Amino acid sequence: MSEQTSVDEQAALPLEEQSNGKRRTMTLNMGPQHPSTHGVLRVVVDLDGEVIRHAAADIGYLHTGIEKQCEVRTWQQVVPLTDRVDYLANLSNNLAYCLAVEKLLGMEIPRRAQWMRVMLTELTRINSHLVWLGTHALDIGAMTMFFYCFRERENILRLFEMFSGQRMMTSYFRIGGLALEAPRGWQHAVGKFIRAFPDSIEQYENLLNANPIWMERTKGIAHMTLDDMLNLGVTGPMIRAAGLAWDIRKDEPYSAYSEFDFQVPTRTESDVYARFQVRMDELRESTKIVIQALEGMPEGEFQAEAPGIVLPEREAMKTQMEAMIYHFKIISEGFRVPPGEAYVAVESPRGELGYYVVSDGATNPYRVFMRTPSFGNLIALGPMLQDKLIADSIAALGSMDFVLGDTDR
Amino acid sequence: MNPDLTSILGNFYVLTLIKLALVAFVLLTALAYLQWIERKVIAHIQLRVGPTRVGPHGLLQPLADTIKLLTKEDLVPAHVNKFFYVLAPMMAVFFALSAIAVIPFGPKINIFGIETYMQLSDLNIGLLYLLALSGMGVYGIALAGWSSNNKYSLIGGLRSSAQMISYELPLALAIASPLLLAGSLSLREIAESQAGFMLGFIPRWSIFQMPAPQILAFVLFMIAGFAETNRVPFDLPEAENELVAGFHTEYSSMKFASFFMAEYANMVTLCSVATLLFLGGWYPLVPAPVDGFIPPLLLWAGGAMLIFHGLQPARKWDKYTMPAFGAVFLLAGFAFLIPFLQPVLVPLFWFVSKVGILLFLFIWVRATLPRFRYDQLMRFAWAFMFPVSVVHLFATALLVALLK
């Protein structure tokens, strides 16, 4: 908060005082309405010609009070809210929240549901990275990339629609498993997409990797040392591009990730190009995971055996007295979660996404706090842009891959 | 032909006025449709279909856009410097359009008994005039950026001044070497110096012409031209991802359209100059008499293709529109066989198709390449383009002096 006031105060000062008697700078407000801030981010930059002398991100324009809203919903009703936090990686948010509540409940999730969750979160990662690649390239001026990426993203959204009935706000994960059994023919649909996808990655790389202008614009730009990143709490592809192979899927496996074979791509240059390469490699790794999940999907239940928490089947609800009572209780009052607190972190496409959930034994959460990766990563913007050019700020913003909903909640 | 009419038409002023009206009409229509083509081509590169709503295949889109822009409220924000704010788009469009005056579109023709050049004004310093105008063109953008009193516009205007002045040098140097071959500053004479064929089949265009083929100069000219017209990858003054809309952020309605028109007019001028200097102007790729048969054959092939597509309509209206366009193409093909029109149409066809291919290159590049950064662009101009064009100019001069 103090950062924000200082930014506003500084913008209000006359030019001479802003610069503390040094060279006069021009203060430029980039955003909240700006084509490249990906939503409603405001970056206040002090310009000396084209050179940025000071940059500060001003966030909060998309604050929707989701954390507070969670406290007045039943445990299950929070899941659709988590979709809205990071709308490009909704299933990662669903997963982190469900895992946290399941930890409090001490539930065992069937293997099939876990594998499904892994497969769908990896599709989410591909989806999110495609949006990142398209908009990042668009920011740097290669506008055709955007359409090529959205062509593949459209296929993923169709898959999501097939699974959950929704393209973006899927809310497909439930406390105790999945919302629905996978639709008929899902193997074919997912297989068709994922087997063709490596060719698309190839195509993107051909368009950008061999392009001297792209290299000029990304190599050595927005460099930041690993130590600085660790101090600021940067996670995800950005820190992996700085050389640290920190991936929660590998280091603290959740769901069924320990059963999958995949690499954690890293680079050491810690510039925009390294981040680009890391994410491109992650697209390949995610493809590998999805193919493994497709081929080795275990049979079994898609929901845990937990009456009173997981909704009974429709047929059972109509024919059995107990099931009907459970159904009524879950729908009207919700289920109770034992008092306690739990923190679960998952590797969202952007980095460490943590859900800290506190229960006082009621049917709604006492507190849901989200440790969102976009917020952690965006802090690095100011130091990263110091003494760089305006055009670099666009490349840097793109390479951070933040979602403002994720930052502001 | 009535001798009175011939003498009236032959009058220099009357003739120039008629030519002016014709060129202005064709040029402005072409500019509007160039935008349509750009939208269509980029759309197809990007897996879209582009304008389809207004008229068949969106062909009336330029008209709709013009009406929209003309009838939109003409906003002048309160914080601008009004005089320069209004002057800037006028300057941009004035300098862009007046450059067309010296462009010859074809050879000397004889029509209704009057001999005339297909050119508005054959200045003997045509090239210098063009360079002067393109230099003045910076003022439109720089003034727009400064007078808008908007920080984005200001940065856009500053970038533009620096960029256009830097690229003016390699552009002028790239122009200078074909001048050495032709030995004239008049665009018509430069084009005429490229008539004929070497060894009977290689056209004597500057890019092939012995003793000093100008391929490198052509490439340099085109690169500098991209920068000069502020097109991708040098579209820094209006880089929408960085500067919102750059120098024309505060402009709306016809004033905005003027900048747009100026950009497209500059593109057309540049491609025409490139054609005249390097690609032999209106002279054909193949020797006579084959050159006269190529245009009708191409048009017929295009017409046949359109009719063929019309027989298997992909969309609802294709079965009517495609054969109709096909018929127009077929008829246009026959027009090239009329002896009376042939000497006018054939050179015009070669000129227009060369310009068209270069314009397509502009559009293609726009859909493909990312944007340079400001300092990289300046480095590219001064550290690469400038020395290379100087060396190339000296090499050409040496070759011409020794061998010609």
Side-chain angles (χ1 to χ4, degrees):
Chain A
M1 275 287 106
S2 66
E3 183 64 37
Q4 193 196 342
T5 16
S6 76
V7 162
D8 278 341
E9 278 169 4
Q10 205 189 14
L13 288 174
L15 281 173
E16 291 80 1
E17 287 173 40
Q18 277 175 37
S19 50
N20 308 324
K22 282 180 277 176
R23 262 184 89 161
R24 272 175 55 149
T25 54
M26 179 172 85
T27 306
L28 179 67
N29 270 307
M30 287 173 70
Q33 282 91 33
H34 187 279
S36 295
T37 51
H38 299 275
V40 280
L41 172 69
R42 175 175 159 222
V43 186
V44 184
V45 289
D46 285 345
L47 293 176
D48 179 4
E50 289 250 346
V51 184
I52 296 172
R53 290 296 176 214
H54 179 262
D58 181 11
I59 60 168
Y61 289 92
L62 208 61
H63 176 65
T64 44
I66 285 180
E67 288 182 4
K68 194 70 189 163
Q69 286 183 61
C70 293
E71 294 168 18
V72 295
R73 300 279 193 276
T74 64
W75 289 97
Q76 185 58 64
Q77 281 172 340
V78 171
V79 173
L81 288 177
T82 62
D83 275 334
R84 272 90 180 153
V85 175
D86 181 350
Y87 37 81
L88 292 180
N90 47 349
L91 286 168
S92 304
N93 282 268
N94 288 174
L95 182 64
Y97 172 73
C98 290
L99 287 175
V101 179
E102 283 157 8
K103 194 171 169 188
L104 277 178
L105 287 163
M107 276 176 115
E108 271 297 309
I109 306 301
R111 209 157 150 262
R112 180 181 170 81
Q114 294 203 3
W115 275 59
M116 265 310 179
R117 283 178 171 184
V118 168
M119 188 185 83
L120 287 165
T121 37
E122 287 311 312
L123 281 175
T124 306
R125 189 181 314 279
I126 296 176
N127 173 18
S128 172
H129 279 7
L130 282 177
V131 176
W132 156 77
L133 179 61
T135 51
H136 184 36
L138 181 69
D139 287 348
I140 295 185
M143 60 173 167
T144 303
M145 273 308 287
F146 180 76
F147 293 91
Y148 289 175
C149 291
F150 268 54
R151 173 184 59 190
E152 265 72 49
R153 177 180 186 244
E154 189 62 29
N155 293 332
I156 297 182
L157 292 184
R158 288 208 186 101
L159 291 177
F160 286 166
E161 190 179 9
M162 188 179 176
F163 275 90
S164 69
Q166 291 285 329
R167 284 156 58 85
M168 280 181 79
M169 302 298 147
T170 47
S171 306
Y172 188 59
F173 298 162
R174 291 292 149 85
I175 296 162
L178 307 174
L180 302 158
E181 176 58 282
R184 216 174 297 145
W186 68 270
Q187 289 99 334
H188 176 70
V190 174
K192 199 176 147 197
F193 165 73
I194 207 71
R195 297 218 160 82
F197 189 60
D199 287 345
S200 307
I201 303 177
E202 213 53 5
Q203 194 184 6
Y204 308 146
E205 291 203 325
N206 282 344
L207 267 169
L208 295 178
N209 267 352
N211 191 324
I213 304 180
W214 176 263
M215 306 293 241
E216 286 253 304
R217 286 299 305 274
T218 54
K219 274 201 169 163
I221 305 300
H223 172 82
M224 196 177 209
T225 60
L226 181 59
D227 285 343
D228 286 349
M229 283 194 174
L230 288 171
N231 288 339
L232 290 169
V234 176
T235 49
M238 278 178 72
I239 205 149
R240 290 196 282 277
L244 183 69
W246 172 252
D247 188 322
I248 301 171
R249 293 176 294 171
K250 267 276 194 256
D251 297 323
E252 294 167 13
Y254 51 92
S255 285
Y257 273 110
S258 49
E259 299 174 43
F260 289 89
D261 168 38
F262 64 98
Q263 305 296 317
V264 178
T266 53
R267 292 287 184 283
T268 50
E269 295 86 1
S270 189
D271 56 6
V272 175
Y273 186 66
R275 286 164 211 152
F276 162 74
Q277 283 180 312
V278 164
R279 290 200 180 92
M280 291 310 270
D281 288 347
E282 283 187 13
L283 283 176
R284 292 209 171 82
E285 295 303 320
S286 294
T287 311
K288 259 164 67 185
I289 298 177
V290 174
I291 289 176
Q292 287 171 47
L294 193 65
E295 284 164 356
M297 183 64 69
E299 291 300 317
E301 288 296 313
F302 68 98
Q303 283 179 325
E305 188 62 36
I309 291 170
V310 173
L311 272 182
E313 266 178 55
R314 199 84 187 144
E315 189 57 33
M317 187 266 281
K318 287 177 179 167
T319 51
Q320 295 164 19
M321 181 55 113
E322 267 194 18
M324 202 195 84
I325 293 171
Y326 279 135
H327 186 271
F328 178 74
K329 289 275 276 183
I330 295 170
I331 295 294
S332 60
E333 185 197 26
F335 51 82
R336 289 176 191 279
V337 171
E341 51 193 73
Y343 177 81
V344 171
V346 302
E347 185 70 28
S348 107
R350 274 160 263 292
E352 177 179 338
L353 171 67
Y355 270 68
Y356 173 67
V357 178
V358 185
S359 168
D360 58 356
T363 55
N364 49 323
Y366 177 77
R367 176 84 169 95
V368 178
F369 171 77
M370 298 144 193
R371 189 269 173 221
T372 52
S374 300
F375 182 77
N377 294 355
L378 198 54
I379 296 171
L381 183 69
M384 210 178 261
L385 292 185
Q386 188 71 41
D387 297 332
K388 301 280 161 39
L389 294 169
I390 302 181
D392 289 340
S393 75
I394 304 303
L397 281 172
S399 77
M400 295 181 139
D401 184 28
F402 53 83
V403 163
L404 265 299
D406 200 30
T407 314
D408 297 343
R409 293 166 331 259
Chain B
M1 176 73 30
N2 189 330
D4 281 350
L5 194 60
T6 314
S7 66
I8 292 172
L9 286 177
N11 180 296
F12 174 75
Y13 295 103
V14 176
L15 192 66
T16 307
L17 273 179
I18 293 172
K19 284 200 283 190
L20 183 63
L22 205 66
V23 168
F25 174 74
V26 173
L27 179 72
L28 292 179
T29 321
L31 290 184
Y33 275 92
L34 181 58
Q35 212 226 327
W36 176 84
I37 292 167
E38 172 159 34
R39 285 171 71 172
K40 274 287 188 193
V41 169
I42 290 187
H44 283 278
I45 292 176
Q46 294 175 343
L47 319 162
R48 300 180 287 125
V49 289
T52 54
R53 291 294 160 139
V54 194
H57 302 274
L59 269 173
L60 297 179
Q61 187 71 43
L63 191 68
D65 285 346
T66 314
I67 293 172
K68 187 200 83 171
L69 285 165
L70 278 172
T71 51
K72 265 214 159 167
E73 187 188 353
D74 195 2
L75 269 176
V76 180
H79 55 73
V80 301
N81 185 324
K82 273 212 186 62
F83 179 69
F84 290 115
Y85 178 83
V86 176
L87 184 70
M90 290 182 189
M91 284 179 82
V93 84
F94 173 78
F95 291 122
L97 290 182
S98 22
I100 298 290
V102 291
I103 305 279
F105 306 101
K108 190 181 243 188
I109 52 165
N110 190 325
I111 197 156
F112 304 130
I114 305 157
E115 285 220 328
T116 180
Y117 289 109
M118 290 166 81
Q119 183 180 18
L120 272 181
S121 154
D122 180 20
L123 286 184
N124 53 2
I125 50 156
L127 259 181
L128 289 183
Y129 168 82
L130 274 180
L131 282 175
L133 282 186
S134 86
M136 291 298 282
V138 189
Y139 278 101
I141 293 175
L143 278 180
W146 176 77
S147 70
S148 292
N149 217 348
N150 172 317
K151 288 168 183 172
Y152 291 119
S153 305
L154 180 65
I155 298 173
L158 282 176
R159 281 181 174 189
S160 159
S161 335
Q163 171 182 337
M164 287 169 93
I165 290 165
S166 306
Y167 278 87
E168 201 100 309
L169 271 168
L171 189 84
L173 289 172
I175 285 177
S177 36
L179 281 188
L180 292 176
L181 285 179
S184 166
L185 274 172
S186 151
L187 282 162
R188 183 179 54 79
E189 283 172 25
I190 293 172
E192 280 170 357
S193 76
Q194 301 173 50
F197 291 87
M198 299 177 293
L199 308 173
F201 67 97
I202 305 172
R204 279 187 76 242
W205 301 355
S206 292
I207 54 167
F208 304 127
Q209 205 178 87
M210 286 298 148
Q214 296 297 317
I215 294 178
L216 185 61
F218 175 61
V219 174
L220 288 171
F221 178 82
M222 283 313 278
I223 295 175
F226 273 87
E228 201 57 21
T229 49
N230 296 326
R231 296 281 298 185
V232 173
F234 304 100
D235 63 335
L236 295 155
E238 49 182 310
E240 75 266 15
N241 309 91
E242 295 155 31
L243 302 179
V244 187
F247 65 91
H248 58 63
T249 309
E250 297 284 355
Y251 282 89
S252 59
S253 171
M254 242 1 244
K255 294 204 191 76
F256 164 73
S258 308
F259 283 119
F260 230 72
M261 212 157 81
E263 185 185 322
Y264 282 83
N266 280 332
M267 263 165 69
V268 171
T269 315
L270 194 102
C271 292
S272 309
V273 174
T275 306
L276 290 167
L277 289 184
F278 299 101
L279 301 179
W282 54 86
Y283 291 106
L285 180 66
V286 286
V290 191
D291 67 321
F293 292 119
I294 285 183
L297 285 178
L298 276 178
L299 283 168
W300 286 335
M305 211 165 74
L306 282 170
I307 290 173
F308 176 73
H309 279 297
L311 294 177
Q312 304 155 312
R315 276 177 297 273
K316 198 174 132 201
W317 289 99
D318 282 4
K319 96 181 119 173
Y320 307 109
T321 54
M322 287 285 195
F325 295 144
V328 172
F329 272 61
L330 290 185
L331 283 178
F334 281 110
F336 279 88
L337 299 183
I338 304 171
F340 164 67
L341 287 175
Q342 211 176 15
V344 183
L345 286 183
V346 173
L348 210 54
F349 170 86
W350 285 105
F351 184 78
V352 169
S353 34
K354 286 173 199 170
V355 173
I357 289 169
L358 293 181
L359 285 172
F360 182 81
L361 185 75
F362 269 80
I363 297 170
W364 188 9
V365 165
R366 182 177 168 200
T368 316
L369 289 186
R371 180 180 303 119
F372 269 113
R373 207 176 64 194
Y374 177 68
D375 59 328
Q376 292 164 353
L377 171 124
M378 298 302 270
R379 198 173 346 119
F380 187 65
W382 291 101
F384 174 74
M385 296 281 287
F386 182 62
V388 171
S389 46
V390 169
V391 170
H392 182 266
L393 180 63
F394 277 113
T396 310
L398 206 65
L399 282 172
V400 169
L402 290 179
L403 301 172
K404 209 164 185 179

